[in-house]
């Protein structure tokens, strides 16, 4: 039997993290994977439980204030414990063959970069790495020598059907979008929705941030930028189509008129399993598509008036440079303000657009310090814009 692959999971307590551990179990558990590091943030008891069950070498909470609780929960287990930014760095730096990048938000960027630089294969769920650092992140993976394996279901779908030896014939990438819970809402109805209803996704079970991002379509906006960097396509080659059933996960169109699609049940474990076993395929217990019961597949054009995030993504792609990082940072701040009921649902895009306008001359980052500086400035400006709303 082959040696187990050494795997670290950044964000193991989240939706992608727990699904990853389930896929690991389905693929053979300790016979297939040796778990090196697991990280979480506030959910310390789950993290400790996961670390013990997987016999991890290191467990890290991103939050210093949860260090002693984690230490106590793991006392006597022999599992090393760390906390904070340095703990996340250690989790990413420890020798593993593969790292699942599943921390939510820009907080995932620094540790994922560390893993990429040391040459680990990166199973990338954290799209913010590419949205924020773009080419710098891709270059870091290339320089490290590891592979970049997309986990986002749309990008994993494209990765599966993109014929690298037919690059010259690639015409377009078609990202599918469910349209989220407010697909049929009027602007007026959207004005009054709460975070709780926004987080109730019709097809997928996901973390809070991405669920609200599906409702605003900011998640799709981030995915357009992610697609540009992952597949080296121009903004004009990236299309979005609303497909409410979430059965076709995305498509690639070629110069002979062919369109290749990847289909499956809306279950992230398929994409996770693909990334974890690439170039082989795992055997997974996920629901199989029954075409005789799929009565229809619908498609419609996205409405950029009700979902301005898509227009903002195009703006960011056209302007280039740090505009994507700025959009992402402002949207993260706006998302938190929406969840805290300090601003309304439609205000999230207003905040992002206002900050993008203020920082439209931000230019291109030469190094990661400039990325982090633009991120911090965009967050500060977003907070001011939000303050202005409620004044
Ligand atoms: P969750 O919110 O479910 O989980 C996020 C993880 O990150 C948890 O482990 C959480 O810890 C940890 N975390 C939260 N804040 C911090 C922080 N400041 N520093 C370090 N760790 C932190 O998110 P998802 O699993 O839904 O999403 C993770 C990533 O994957 C996102 O980038 C998302 O866009 C992407 N993705 C998710 C999909 C999905 O189906 N969920 C689909 C495609 C992409 P704790 O829970 O302990 O607080």
């Amino acid at each position: 039997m082959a040696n187990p692959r050494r795997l670290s999971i950044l964000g193991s307590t989240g939706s992608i993290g727990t699904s990853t551990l389930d896929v690991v179990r389905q693929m053979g558990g300790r016979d297939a994977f040796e778990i090196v590091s697991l990280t979480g943030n506030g959910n310390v008891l789950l993290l400790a439980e996961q670390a013990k069950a997987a016999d991890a070498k290191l467990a890290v909470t991103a939050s210093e204030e949860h260090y002693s609780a984690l230490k106590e929960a793991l006392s006597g287990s022999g599992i090393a414990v760390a906390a904070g930014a340095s703990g996340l760095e250690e989790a990413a730096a420890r020798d593993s063959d593969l790292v699942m990048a599943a921390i939510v938000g820009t907080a995932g960027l620094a540790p994922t970069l560390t893993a990429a630089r040391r040459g680990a294969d990166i199973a990338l769920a954290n799209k913010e790495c590419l949205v924020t650092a773009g080419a710098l992140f891709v270059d870091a993976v290339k320089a490290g020598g590891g592979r970049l394996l997309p986990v986002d279901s749309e990008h994993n779908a494209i990765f599966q059907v993109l014929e690298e030896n037919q690059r010259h014939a690639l015409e377009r990438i078609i990202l599918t979008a469910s349209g989220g819970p407010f697909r049929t809402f009027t602007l007026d109805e959207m004005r009054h929705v709460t975070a709780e209803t926004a987080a109730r996704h019709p097809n997928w079970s996901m973390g809070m941030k991405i669920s609200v991002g599906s409702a605003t379509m900011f998640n799709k906006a981030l995915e357009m930028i992610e697609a540009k960097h992952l597949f080296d396509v121009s903004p004009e080659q990236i299309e979005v189509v609303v497909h409410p059933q979430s059965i076709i996960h995305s498509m690639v169109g070629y110069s002979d008129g062919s369109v290749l699609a990847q289909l499956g049940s809306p279950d992230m474990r398929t994409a996770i399993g693909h990334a974890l076993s690439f170039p082989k395929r795992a055997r997974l217990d996920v629901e199989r598509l029954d075409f005789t019961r799929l009565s229809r597949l619908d498609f419609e054009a996205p409405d950029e008036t009700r979902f301005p995030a898509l227009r903002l993504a195009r703006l960011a792609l056209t302007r280039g440079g740090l505009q994507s990082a700025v959009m992402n940072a402002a949207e993260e701040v706006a998302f938190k303000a929406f969840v805290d009921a300090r601003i309304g649902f439609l205000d999230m895009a207003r905040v992002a657009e206002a900050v993008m306008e203020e920082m439209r001359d931000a230019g291109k980052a030469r190094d990661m310090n400039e990325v982090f500086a633009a991120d911090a400035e965009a967050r500060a400006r977003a907070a001011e814009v939000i303050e202005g709303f409620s004044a």
Side-chain angles (χ1 to χ4, degrees), residues 11-17 39-44 62 88 101-105 107 125-128 151-153 205-208 210 219 268:
S12 65
T13 49
S15 164
I16 292 288
T39 83
N41 190 38
N43 205 342
V44 174
L88 288 180
I103 289 174
V104 63
N126 178 286
K127 60 198 87 186
E128 293 86 350
V151 171
D152 223 345
S153 61
S205 156
M206 309 183 288
M208 180 75 169
I210 185 170
N219 182 50
M268 283 307 295

Side-chain angles (χ1 to χ4, degrees), residues 1-308:
M1 187 184 285
N3 283 338
R5 285 179 87 196
R6 293 167 305 166
L7 169 69
S8 291
I9 307 174
L10 307 176
S12 65
T13 49
S15 164
I16 292 288
T18 48
S19 294
T20 302
L21 283 166
D22 184 53
V23 169
V24 164
R25 181 189 56 76
Q26 292 196 41
M27 286 175 66
R30 291 183 198 183
D31 289 339
F33 292 98
E34 179 189 323
I35 303 296
V36 178
S37 317
L38 296 179
T39 83
N41 190 38
N43 205 342
V44 174
L45 293 182
L46 176 61
L47 177 60
E49 202 180 290
Q50 291 177 335
K52 282 193 238 173
D55 197 19
K57 304 281 173 289
L58 171 70
V60 175
T61 165
S63 144
E64 305 269 4
E65 69 191 60
H66 288 105
Y67 174 75
S68 36
L70 183 62
K71 184 101 186 137
E72 192 183 322
L74 286 173
S75 74
S77 66
I79 298 168
V81 173
S86 61
L88 288 180
E89 284 299 308
E90 188 187 341
R94 281 217 181 186
D95 213 9
S96 64
D97 306 305
L98 175 63
V99 171
M100 168 59 74
I103 289 174
V104 63
T106 311
L109 175 57
T112 309
L113 259 178
T114 298
R117 284 179 178 142
R118 72 167 170 79
D121 285 344
I122 306 292
L124 189 73
N126 178 286
K127 60 198 87 186
E128 293 86 350
C129 284
L130 284 169
V131 174
T132 304
L136 290 173
F137 182 79
V138 174
D139 291 348
V141 177
K142 279 191 191 139
R147 293 176 297 186
L148 190 51
L149 303 161
V151 171
D152 223 345
S153 61
E154 294 78 358
H155 304 75
N156 180 266
I158 293 163
F159 186 65
Q160 291 195 37
V161 296
L162 181 62
E163 301 174 327
E164 275 301 340
N165 59 353
Q166 296 299 322
R167 268 268 163 188
H168 58 281
L170 184 149
E171 265 184 5
R172 58 187 175 140
I173 272 172
I174 306 154
L175 295 172
T176 52
S178 69
F182 309 139
R183 181 174 63 87
T184 57
F185 277 37
T186 63
L187 266 178
D188 203 43
E189 286 169 326
M190 286 160 100
R191 204 159 280 136
H192 306 292
V193 297
T194 63
E196 202 195 19
T197 46
R200 234 177 270 142
H201 196 278
N203 305 333
W204 297 90
S205 156
M206 309 183 288
M208 180 75 169
K209 170 75 171 56
I210 185 170
S211 298
V212 173
S214 296
T216 53
M217 291 191 82
F218 257 109
N219 182 50
K220 207 52 55 186
L222 301 185
E223 287 178 7
M224 290 163 71
I225 297 161
E226 182 184 13
K228 177 198 180 298
H229 295 294
L230 272 177
F231 305 115
D232 194 21
V233 286
S234 67
E236 297 73 33
Q237 287 176 296
I238 304 170
E239 293 178 16
V240 174
V241 66
V242 174
H243 164 45
Q245 292 89 357
S246 301
I247 295 296
I248 297 180
H249 298 318
S250 276
M251 304 176 258
V252 176
Y254 293 96
S255 57
D256 61 358
S258 296
V259 175
L260 301 193
Q262 187 263 351
L263 287 70
S265 300
D267 186 331
M268 283 307 295
R269 290 175 302 177
T270 297
I272 293 169
H274 184 264
L276 257 51
S277 43
F278 184 80
K280 297 183 183 159
R281 281 191 189 269
R283 173 175 293 281
L284 295 177
D285 179 20
V286 295
E287 194 181 331
R288 303 300 193 253
L289 284 185
D290 178 350
F291 285 91
T292 60
R293 287 174 56 207
L294 275 182
S295 54
R296 52 193 281 183
L297 296 178
D298 295 308
F299 303 95
E300 61 196 43
D303 176 353
E304 295 192 2
T305 308
R306 287 181 304 131
F307 299 100

